[in-house]
Amino acid sequence: MRTPRKGYVCLLVGLFVVFLISATYWTFVPLRRTCEAESQSKSNRSHIPRGSTISYIIHQKWDDYNIPTVFIQWVKSWRRHHPKWQYWFWTNDSGRRLVAKRYPQYLDMYDNYPSNIHRSDALRYFVMHEFGGVYADLDIESLKPIDPITARHHCLLSLETEAHGILLYSTPNGQVSNALLACRPKHPFYKFVIENLHRTAKTDVFSSTGPFMLQKRYDQYSAMGCYGRDFVQLAKPDDFMPSFDDQPVAIERLKLACQKITIEKDRKRICKRLRQQNYQNIFPPPTSYTDHKWVHTYTNQFRQKYGKSAEKLVDIRNLQINITDVKLQM
C-alpha cells in the first residue's frame, strides 16, 4: 500500500517533469519561429553571388588602419585568391558605428565590455548577421579560393585542429572557432548568438564572447532543429585550421596531454602523429582552404616570435588591395 508521503513525492516529481517539458517547449518553439521569420525576411542581397547564399565579402578587423607588418602577407593572400570578392576592413570606430546604427539596443553592453578583445569578438557576430560573407582574423592565411565550400552551404563554422579539440579541450566532436566564420546575412544563428551575449558579458573572454561561448550557442542552436537555409554546417578541422598552436606554452600543454594514460583511440592517434612530427606543424594538406597561424597578438609571445614585424606598422589602405569603405555600407 502506497503511503501518503510517497504519494506526495511522486506528485512533486511529476510536477517537476511537467515543468521541464514546458520549459523546453517554450525555449525551443520561439527559436523555430525565429528560424522561419528570419528565412522570410528581406535582407540586403546586393552582395550575394549567383548560385551561393554566402555574400562575396571578406571581413577583417584591427583597432585602426595601422596593422603590424607581419599580417601583410596573409591579408594579401585573401585578395590574391578572391579578386572578385569585396574586401571590408573594420576598425574600432567603424565597428562601434555599426552597433550604434543597426543594433542600438546592444550598444551599452558593447561599450561596457572590459576590453577591445571582447568588442572585437562581439563585432564579428553583428557583422555576420547584418552583412554575411566570410570573417577571418588577420592571422589566417588564404591558401586557395574559398568559393567551392561557401557555395555549398548557407552558414559555416570552422573547427580548430583535432589536437586542440580532443587533447586540449576534450571536445570529441570538435571545438568551434570564432577566428573564421562564413554565413549568409540575417541568419537566425547569429541572431541567437547576439540575443544571448548579455548572458556571458561578465565572464572571461573565451567564455564571454570567444570560442567557448560560440561552442555553447552552437550546441544549443543545433539541438533546436533549424534546417534548410537556417542550418549551420561544421567544417572539417583541415578545411580551415589544419595547424595547431605552436607557441611554446601550447606545445607544453599538448605534450602533457599526450603523457596521460588513455585508451581513447582518437587521442592515441593524434599523439602518435604529433610525436612523429616532433610537435611541429607540417604544410597544410591540399584540401585546406585556409591556415590559422595562432599569432596571439594580445600576449608577449607575439613580440618575441615576430620581433620587428610585430612592432612595425603599416596603413592597410596603402597596400593597394581595394578596400571597400564600410562607412558607405551603413
Side-chain angles (χ1 to χ4, degrees), residues 207-231:
S207 302
S208 174
T209 54
F212 296 165
M213 179 281 298
L214 196 62
Q215 177 76 61
K216 184 176 182 178
R217 297 295 170 248
Y218 168 75
D219 291 340
Q220 293 172 334
Y221 181 87
S222 61
M224 293 175 184
C226 288
Y227 301 103
R229 294 183 70 244
D230 298 335
F231 183 72

Side-chain angles (χ1 to χ4, degrees), residues 30-226:
L31 183 57
R32 289 197 182 100
R33 291 174 180 168
T34 298
C35 293
E36 295 169 1
E38 286 287 306
S39 295
Q40 296 169 3
S41 67
K42 293 181 179 180
S43 57
N44 181 4
R45 313 287 294 181
S46 61
H47 305 293
I48 298 180
R50 183 178 301 175
S52 175
T53 57
I54 294 178
S55 313
Y56 268 2
I57 312 172
I58 297 163
H59 301 276
Q60 295 196 294
K61 193 265 179 190
W62 192 246
D63 289 349
D64 51 35
Y65 289 110
N66 299 304
I67 66 172
T69 56
V70 66
F71 294 131
I72 293 177
Q73 57 183 323
W74 302 324
V75 168
K76 288 185 174 181
S77 72
W78 283 97
R79 298 308 286 140
R80 183 170 63 254
H81 292 131
H82 306 84
K84 295 182 180 180
W85 288 53
Q86 293 187 26
Y87 182 86
W88 295 18
F89 190 80
W90 297 86
T91 65
N92 290 347
D93 289 341
S94 59
R96 188 185 186 280
R97 190 176 296 113
L98 170 65
V99 177
K101 187 171 183 179
R102 301 291 180 89
Y103 302 90
Q105 67 272 36
Y106 298 104
L107 185 60
D108 184 63
M109 176 191 71
Y110 187 82
D111 284 342
N112 283 285
Y113 275 128
S115 72
N116 278 331
I117 300 176
H118 288 79
R119 281 183 284 274
S120 179
D121 278 344
L123 176 62
R124 66 196 66 186
Y125 310 132
F126 291 109
V127 168
M128 281 290 99
H129 183 257
E130 187 65 25
F131 301 107
V134 173
Y135 169 85
D137 278 350
L138 289 176
D139 62 347
I140 292 184
E141 180 183 13
S142 171
L143 303 175
K144 63 182 181 180
I146 203 173
D147 308 51
I149 192 168
T150 58
R152 299 197 308 267
H153 302 286
H154 298 279
C155 199
L156 279 165
L157 283 178
S158 56
L159 287 179
E160 294 189 19
T161 180
E162 284 186 320
H164 291 183
I166 294 177
L167 293 183
L168 298 185
Y169 305 129
S170 298
T171 51
N173 295 324
Q175 173 61 50
V176 167
S177 172
N178 69 340
L180 189 143
L181 311 168
C183 204
R184 67 169 175 85
K186 304 300 181 184
H187 196 286
F189 173 66
Y190 285 107
K191 182 175 186 291
F192 180 60
V193 171
I194 291 169
E195 288 177 343
N196 284 279
L197 283 173
H198 71 282
R199 298 182 182 276
T200 54
K202 296 183 180 180
T203 57
D204 66 274
V205 66
F206 284 94
S207 302
S208 174
T209 54
F212 296 165
M213 179 281 298
L214 196 62
Q215 177 76 61
K216 184 176 182 178
R217 297 295 170 248
Y218 168 75
D219 291 340
Q220 293 172 334
Y221 181 87
S222 61
M224 293 175 184
C226 288

Side-chain angles (χ1 to χ4, degrees), residues 174-296:
Q175 173 61 50
V176 167
S177 172
N178 69 340
L180 189 143
L181 311 168
C183 204
R184 67 169 175 85
K186 304 300 181 184
H187 196 286
F189 173 66
Y190 285 107
K191 182 175 186 291
F192 180 60
V193 171
I194 291 169
E195 288 177 343
N196 284 279
L197 283 173
H198 71 282
R199 298 182 182 276
T200 54
K202 296 183 180 180
T203 57
D204 66 274
V205 66
F206 284 94
S207 302
S208 174
T209 54
F212 296 165
M213 179 281 298
L214 196 62
Q215 177 76 61
K216 184 176 182 178
R217 297 295 170 248
Y218 168 75
D219 291 340
Q220 293 172 334
Y221 181 87
S222 61
M224 293 175 184
C226 288
Y227 301 103
R229 294 183 70 244
D230 298 335
F231 183 72
V232 177
Q233 177 68 43
L234 289 182
K236 299 175 182 178
D238 277 356
D239 284 338
F240 299 122
M241 300 191 180
S243 298
F244 54 84
D245 187 349
D246 60 0
Q247 302 283 351
V249 173
I251 295 297
E252 286 303 312
R253 290 180 62 198
L254 289 173
K255 288 181 178 179
L256 286 173
C258 286
Q259 290 173 4
K260 296 180 179 178
I261 299 176
T262 178
I263 59 174
E264 297 177 20
K265 291 183 179 180
D266 285 339
R267 294 178 71 92
K268 285 185 175 180
R269 171 179 56 82
I270 296 168
C271 288
K272 180 179 179 180
R273 187 179 70 229
L274 288 173
R275 293 188 185 104
Q276 289 174 342
Q277 298 173 198
N278 196 28
Y279 291 91
Q280 295 180 355
N281 282 305
I282 58 176
F283 194 77
T287 56
S288 298
Y289 294 96
T290 66
D291 191 26
H292 195 182
K293 304 302 182 180
W294 304 102
V295 166
H296 300 306

